Amino acid sequence: MTNATAPITQDVLTLPRKLPDTGRINLVGLTRDQLRDALIAAGTPEKQARMRVGQIWQWVYHWGVREFGAMTNLAKDYRALLDRHFAIERPEVVTRQISADGTRKYLLRIAGGHEVEAVYIPEEGRGTLCISSQVGCTLTCSFCHTGTQKLVRNLTAGEIVGQVMVARDDLGEWPEPGEGSIQDRLVSNIVLMGMGEPLYNFENVRDAMRVVMDGEGIALGRRRITLSTSGVVPEIARTAEEIGCQLAISFHATTDEVRDRLVPINRKWNIATLLAALRDYPRLSNSERITFEYVMLKGVNDSDADARRLVKLIAGIPAKINLIPFNEWPGAPYQRSDWERIEAFADIVYKAGYASPIRTPRGEDIMAACGQLKSATERARKSRAEIAAETGL
Ligand code: SAH
Ligand code: SF4
């Protein structure tokens, strides 16, 4: 596919949350209000609903239980009622690969048999979970493996929260009853940098992050969550106001001519339009600085002149520039810049007053590094009706 025909509009389906096989509703990913409504609809007396929401929330998101039978502060017949109407479902783990450097990649199966990947990256004193927001991606950035995947659908909020729960299950990170809350978190940070463009699935991403941030559950604060976008300008202010997390921008080029080729959404919202939206973000979200991601492609965007243009463009925006050595994938049309080139670029950016860390590729041996994710759901692009039929919903 040439870039000239790359889709830059949203054309994906979000699935309703009824589970096809049982007719039970998955509680994972419901907001507190949605949970309350669902409990009332299932027969919970209205005046008890708030308390029940609090109790169930803690069981599901603080203790990580998967069965209503384990919710010992609820009456037996109420547990049975919950069991008839609801489920506590995570995506199914198809494979788990562990890299030589400790990085873990999960291939997860969701409704319809579709697959997404999530990656856990352990670091000194912290651990970052990289999660997906879509199966595939409608955008077709020319250096990104995910962008070559044809089937695309939005994940539900439950499927997004479910990725966090799967990682915590695998790492054994739910507290034991009697324990206080966990201090040294294995999953201490979340980045929305897996498959998909999170701002093309805004409501589900927002609801999922609100569940993850909720203090009575998983309780990861908004400063521990970073959302990466290729630059969906109309949703940037909403991200500040309705999520308030850290923002990362896939910038990658310093002229519209080059960015049009690398990040095709630039043809819709160009560099100047994007930067204007970014200038308001720190104030709106009360956050410190924006991360500019910049993939280093040999001979394409890695010159000294690019580095100088970059710092000029972002002048006045509190920022850090994350340089990402290009991660190769089969058939990729680019090469990684030489190490000396990356360092020279980093140096110019650093001397202009910006932190310019070079991102160490993690999990390359299991194809878990940035931009390498692509599930085998490699079928023809499908219509909404076909996807809906396939998921049985
Ligand atoms: N769709 C979102 C988030 C997912 S990509 C976005 O584009 O921002 C996470 C980061 O990895 C983005 O900055 C993306 O541009 C970058 N990336 C994609 N493919 C890459 C590759 N092959 N090597 C290095 N970085 C890549
Ligand atoms: Fe989609 Fe991000 Fe990959 Fe671009 S870089 S194709 S927006 S996942």
Side-chain angles (χ1 to χ4, degrees), residues 137-141 143-147 194-197 230 250 252 263:
C137 186
T138 49
L139 300 170
T140 50
C141 302
F143 52 89
C144 174
H145 205 202
T146 309
M195 300 164 68
E197 169 47 60
S230 56
S250 295
H252 305 323
V263 189

Side-chain angles (χ1 to χ4, degrees), residues 283-339:
R283 180 180 51 80
L284 291 176
S285 64
N286 184 28
S287 62
E288 288 116 43
R289 50 187 189 169
I290 293 175
T291 300
F292 285 78
E293 298 163 280
Y294 198 95
V295 63
M296 299 298 292
L297 305 172
K298 191 178 205 158
V300 175
N301 63 354
D302 61 353
S303 69
D304 285 356
D306 278 305
R308 284 193 285 267
R309 263 196 303 272
L310 175 60
V311 294
K312 230 177 173 170
L313 281 170
I314 65 171
I317 302 177
K320 132 173 143 188
I321 288 91
N322 212 328
L323 299 175
I324 315 175
F326 174 61
N327 295 309
E328 298 196 357
W329 38 273
Y334 300 103
Q335 287 176 299
R336 179 182 291 183
S337 304
D338 295 333
W339 192 251

Side-chain angles (χ1 to χ4, degrees), residues 2 34 52 55 58 86 92 112 115 125 178 181 192 222-223 251 260 265-266 284 300 306 327 390:
T2 66
Q34 289 167 340
R52 298 291 173 240
Q55 290 169 316
Q58 271 214 331
F86 303 110
E92 178 195 340
E115 289 172 341
S181 48
L192 281 147
R222 64 188 188 89
R223 289 176 197 280
F251 206 62
D260 280 353
I265 201 177
N266 194 68
L284 291 176
V300 175
D306 278 305
N327 295 309
E390 212 173 51

